[in-house]
Amino acid sequence: MPKLIFIHGLNSTQLSFSYITSKLMCDPLFGNYDTSRPLEESIETVKAIIPNKPCILVGHSLGGLVAYSLIDHPSVKGVITISTPLGGSKAAWFAKWLLQVPVLHDIEPNSVYVKHAQKAFSKPSTNLISTAGHVPFSLDQNDS
């Protein structure tokens, strides 16, 4: 059975997967990263924990973009995303001007990471899509 690696979303931790992982009959890995850093650094942090055996990446929100950035890694056999802004985040486009958080530049609709995720269906993937966010500044469906 492939190893499961859970990758949390923006301003979150592995605790966001507590319920899901408590029901598993295996020990997953967690791709913990600092969401205040540029997305490229987060991708490298998660890449460093990928084992040399088959694994499936499970990413929530921003973690889904991290997962899709790693879909071509030889050990990655599939990706599952949960509420990942596969169209980018318009809210991030506006917020990047107010907040000095590098990752906001990386998740706007025209970013290279969003475009890569949209084209990265070369391996098996499942996307659990939410149609409305609970974040007050969401501008569109699945925006944040």
Side-chain angles (χ1 to χ4, degrees):
M1 179 173 164
K3 189 75 167 173
L4 294 174
I5 301 176
F6 289 87
I7 309 166
H8 63 79
L10 184 65
N11 295 327
S12 192
T13 68
Q14 72 185 46
L15 295 176
S16 61
F17 294 109
S18 292
Y19 180 77
I20 293 170
T21 57
S22 73
K23 303 300 179 190
L24 296 175
M25 297 177 74
C26 63
D27 292 324
L29 294 174
F30 295 95
N32 292 313
Y33 60 96
D34 181 352
T35 62
S36 68
R37 308 295 304 155
L39 197 54
E40 184 60 36
E41 291 181 27
S42 300
I43 292 165
E44 290 302 315
T45 298
V46 175
K47 183 179 181 180
I49 69 149
I50 295 177
N52 288 326
K53 62 181 186 176
C55 63
I56 295 174
L57 305 179
V58 181
H60 173 249
S61 192
L62 178 61
L65 291 179
V66 172
Y68 271 121
S69 294
L70 295 167
I71 199 168
D72 292 325
H73 187 286
S75 295
V76 175
K77 302 306 175 197
V79 166
I80 299 169
T81 65
I82 305 165
S83 300
T84 296
L86 295 173
S89 173
K90 288 182 183 177
W93 188 86
F94 288 107
K96 74 180 183 182
W97 301 108
L98 301 173
L99 306 171
Q100 298 302 312
V101 181
V103 75
L104 295 177
H105 294 271
D106 298 331
I107 61 175
E108 63 186 13
N110 292 317
S111 80
V112 296
Y113 302 102
V114 171
K115 294 209 179 288
H116 178 75
Q118 292 169 349
K119 295 177 184 176
F121 295 106
S122 61
K123 291 192 177 181
S125 63
T126 299
N127 304 294
L128 306 175
I129 305 294
S130 61
T131 57
H134 69 280
V135 180
F137 54 82
S138 293
L139 302 176
D140 282 329
Q141 292 182 336
N142 204 37
D143 187 42
S144 55

